[in-house]
Amino acid sequence: MRNLIKMDEEYKIWIQKVSQRYQQSQIKAALHVNVEMLEFYWSLGKDIVNLHAEHRWGSNFFENLSNDMLHLLPDVKGFSVTNLRYYETIL
């Protein structure tokens, strides 16, 4: 393929455009994922507020929720006690 890029200018331009389109698609996909995650965290905060969770399940609610989420989703970051308290306040 390297020889084709060197030999054919039209191919060289086309392959560069394909590469740019791919990179733009990656950026769009990342933005979409970020929007979905922001919506999830916002809805989690809303749930916590609507359920009056800390009053309903006690003063260790955030610690318990953090531990439970980390147990259920061990590879996922974002469920620290600090973050969970923050989600509650962003409404």
Side-chain angles (χ1 to χ4, degrees), residues 24-91:
Q24 289 169 349
S25 293
Q26 282 184 311
I27 291 168
K28 288 178 183 179
L31 289 173
H32 185 70
V33 168
N34 288 340
V35 167
E36 290 297 320
M37 294 312 301
L38 285 173
E39 288 177 3
F40 166 77
Y41 291 127
W42 186 86
S43 71
L44 176 58
K46 187 176 176 182
D47 289 347
I48 291 169
V49 169
N50 289 341
L51 291 169
H52 304 285
E54 195 166 18
H55 298 287
R56 186 174 180 179
W57 290 301
S59 61
N60 289 331
F61 166 73
F62 287 102
E63 290 81 3
N64 292 333
L65 177 60
S66 176
N67 289 332
D68 290 340
M69 293 304 292
L70 292 172
H71 175 75
L72 292 169
L73 302 167
D75 298 327
V76 177
K77 307 261 188 267
F79 293 113
S80 68
V81 172
T82 302
N83 284 351
L84 291 169
R85 288 186 185 278
Y86 179 71
Y87 303 149
E88 178 189 37
T89 64
I90 59 176
L91 298 176

